Amino acid sequence: MSKKAGTALSVMAMVFMGALASPLTVLAADAEETYQPALYATIWALLPPLVAIVLALITKEVYSSLFVGIVVGALIYSGFKFEGTVTQIFEGGIIKVLSDSYNVGILIFLVILGSVVCMMNKAGGSAAFGRWASKKIHTRVGAELAAIILGILIFIDDYFNCLTVGSVMRPVTDRHHVSRAKFAYLIDATAAPVCIIAPISSWAAAVSGFVKGQDGLAIFVRTIPYNFYAILTIVMMVGMVLMKTEFGAMRTHEINALNGDLYTTSARPYENATDDETPNPRGKVIDLVIPIVVLVICCVISMIYTGGFFSGTDFVTAFSQSDASTGLAMGSAFGLVFAIIFYMIRRVVNFRDCMGCIPEGFKAMVPAIMILTFAWTLKAMTDSLGAAVFVEEAMRSVAGGIEVILPAIIFLVGCGLAFATGTSWGTFGILIPIVVAWGTLALIIATYTPVFDWISYPMGLYLKLLGVPEAFAAAPATLVGFTDMFIPALLSVGLTSVKTKFIIGVLSLVQIIYLTEVGTIIIKSEIPLNFWKLLVIFLERTIVALPLIVLFANLVL
């Protein structure tokens, strides 16, 4: 079957190349720069990513899904003309994104990172750490915690994390009868969740690259406190280990492991994995730790360098305005050079083997590079079709409450897409171009539509009764806090009364505490309260808190 598939792919490739070489498909070199497609800034601009999402959910294959989305975007852009479609796919898409300096920097970082990872494994640092851990760890909980801690420390890349923690800690967890299923869970739960909240990682570089025209890294850093999935995953994992709590199928695997069966399943995956490769006997723990530490330090120094730190800018500002692409590429290059020199001085890896790790590292990162390239190209298609313009204009004319459920919708779509395709980066590439355009949805509705004015009219009367200046102008800010914690402050910018701004600020803090702490506890408890009852409690708390806040404001202002 594989031979037939290979033959079919060869025939398709020959036909495609023949079509490109045909005189009928000669590409125009001097197309007008001001060309605007007939369907620009229409609902059709959202079709390419939607096609990619649907295909990914159906086929569970991300590469072809992204590429079909690119083709659909190019067809719409060219008016369904063959020549224009091919031109847009390559000149306006793949070649364009691969010639972008920011994108090239990210790809360089990934290639160098893959080479460093390969070099570390070749040096035997991972195996040495495993031998050291087996001597120091004497309990089952200790083995699991060691796997978690090592996974958290290796935050540079999730591939590196999984490969290193898996090879290093597998003998240790096997010795303490931790099931392979539980071990796989610990590795997975400390790979992506750690990388997505680490500013110096391949994930940070990739995600920030999807936000064009803005400071992607600064946006990434600001989202870290709200990445509840990653944070809670780590907290729950540590809690389950310490409390020795298991449930469902994992409980079955753990009971069997304690009785001597680490696998439970008949397939017994990776039963002989430890025999696949002989580790370097000269490797030591420092061969793993020192290159990682130097790599992180080099990346941080390079990033603050691009942000102007050595020209007088303070550290925080320099980091926030740094060029992540250039900084990570430069830092990883210095880290690679250090690793080569370090391993040669220690005589654990010779120069020839070090050079051989560079193409091996490149091959290891090819899947990530393909996903990024197709995702960037799909974003270029949606940008050329005016997707952001369409969403903004549509939201200006829409008066509805969809902004309340939009985050939940995006979350569910993201969960389904990531589960179906098996790649978070592909999910980022598909969803971020859409979500960024919708990111200011609640603010746009509050600013350009009278929705919150209508809803908050009774609250305006209440504020006026309490003697609050600019009562009706401030009323929307008292309710919009249920949708987002920052929007009340944004809506208060136009207020002239300091007292009113103070009241809105204090009220928003009260609302935040309820939504993030009290409301969460209520939901997790056995109290029979649903979402709408929580909303009623939110309104009741707001009504009760306002007189006290107003009284305090009158006393201090």
Side-chain angles (χ1 to χ4, degrees), residues 123-134:
S126 301
F129 183 89
R131 293 193 297 269
W132 174 84
S134 63

Side-chain angles (χ1 to χ4, degrees), residues 389-453:
V389 177
F390 165 73
V391 172
E392 181 178 356
E393 293 298 326
M395 289 307 101
R396 289 176 183 269
S397 59
V398 172
I402 191 176
E403 74 282 353
V404 177
I405 62 173
L406 185 62
I409 294 174
I410 295 171
F411 176 78
L412 293 176
V413 172
C415 288
L417 187 60
F419 180 79
T421 61
T423 166
S424 296
W425 283 22
T427 304
F428 295 150
I430 293 173
L431 289 182
I432 286 180
I434 299 177
V435 175
V436 167
W438 287 65
T440 56
L441 183 59
L443 184 59
I444 289 175
I445 290 180
T447 304
Y448 297 103
T449 71
V451 172
F452 284 107
D453 292 332

Side-chain angles (χ1 to χ4, degrees), residues 18 70 85 114 129 207 232 240 268 327 349 361 395 406 459 519 525 531:
I70 293 168
T85 299
F129 183 89
V207 173
L232 293 178
M240 290 178 62
R268 307 181 74 80
V349 182
M395 289 307 101
L406 185 62
M459 189 61 70
S525 69
F531 172 81

Side-chain angles (χ1 to χ4, degrees), residues 109 155-157 194-206 220 328:
F109 170 69
F155 54 83
I156 295 294
D157 180 74
V194 171
C195 292
I196 197 60
I197 58 176
I200 309 297
S201 68
S202 59
W203 283 57
F220 176 86
L328 290 175

Side-chain angles (χ1 to χ4, degrees), residues 486-531:
F486 293 112
I487 292 182
L490 295 176
L491 294 182
S492 302
V493 172
L495 299 176
T496 58
S497 172
V498 177
K499 180 185 295 186
T500 305
K501 289 184 177 180
F502 174 82
I503 293 171
I504 296 300
V506 176
L507 179 64
S508 65
L509 291 176
V510 174
Q511 294 171 340
I512 290 170
I513 293 173
Y514 169 69
L515 293 175
T516 60
E517 301 293 340
V518 180
T520 304
I521 294 174
I522 292 176
I523 291 176
K524 292 182 178 181
S525 69
E526 297 180 357
I527 301 176
L529 292 177
N530 56 28
F531 172 81

Side-chain angles (χ1 to χ4, degrees), residues 15-180:
V15 172
F16 183 67
M17 294 302 294
L20 290 180
S22 173
L24 297 176
T25 60
V26 176
L27 304 180
D30 51 350
E32 297 181 7
E33 295 182 359
T34 58
Y35 171 76
Q36 190 174 89
L39 298 177
Y40 182 82
T42 64
I43 194 172
W44 294 101
L46 300 179
L47 184 61
L50 293 178
V51 168
I53 291 173
V54 173
L55 284 179
L57 293 174
I58 294 174
T59 65
K60 297 180 173 58
E61 206 286 312
V62 68
Y63 303 112
S64 60
S65 302
L66 286 170
F67 186 73
V68 171
I70 293 168
V71 173
V72 170
L75 284 169
I76 298 174
Y77 181 86
S78 66
F80 299 92
K81 297 177 182 177
F82 181 78
E83 178 182 341
T85 299
V86 177
T87 302
Q88 178 64 4
I89 290 175
F90 291 97
E91 290 187 2
I94 297 176
I95 296 175
K96 180 180 178 181
V97 300
L98 289 181
S99 60
D100 182 88
S101 60
Y102 190 96
N103 295 343
V104 172
I106 299 300
L107 298 182
I108 291 174
F109 170 69
L110 291 178
V111 171
I112 295 177
L113 181 62
S115 302
V116 173
V117 171
C118 181
M119 214 171 293
M120 290 177 183
N121 293 330
K122 180 75 71 174
S126 301
F129 183 89
R131 293 193 297 269
W132 174 84
S134 63
K135 297 178 182 178
K136 300 294 182 180
I137 298 172
H138 305 289
T139 65
R140 195 166 185 269
V141 172
E144 295 178 353
L145 289 177
I148 294 173
I149 293 172
L150 183 60
I152 292 175
L153 292 177
I154 304 177
F155 54 83
I156 295 294
D157 180 74
D158 59 325
Y159 291 148
F160 181 27
N161 188 306
C162 292
L163 291 173
T164 302
V165 178
S167 60
V168 168
M169 296 303 300
R170 184 175 56 238
V172 180
T173 55
D174 285 354
R175 188 175 297 108
H176 291 282
H177 301 286
V178 178
S179 69
R180 288 293 175 90

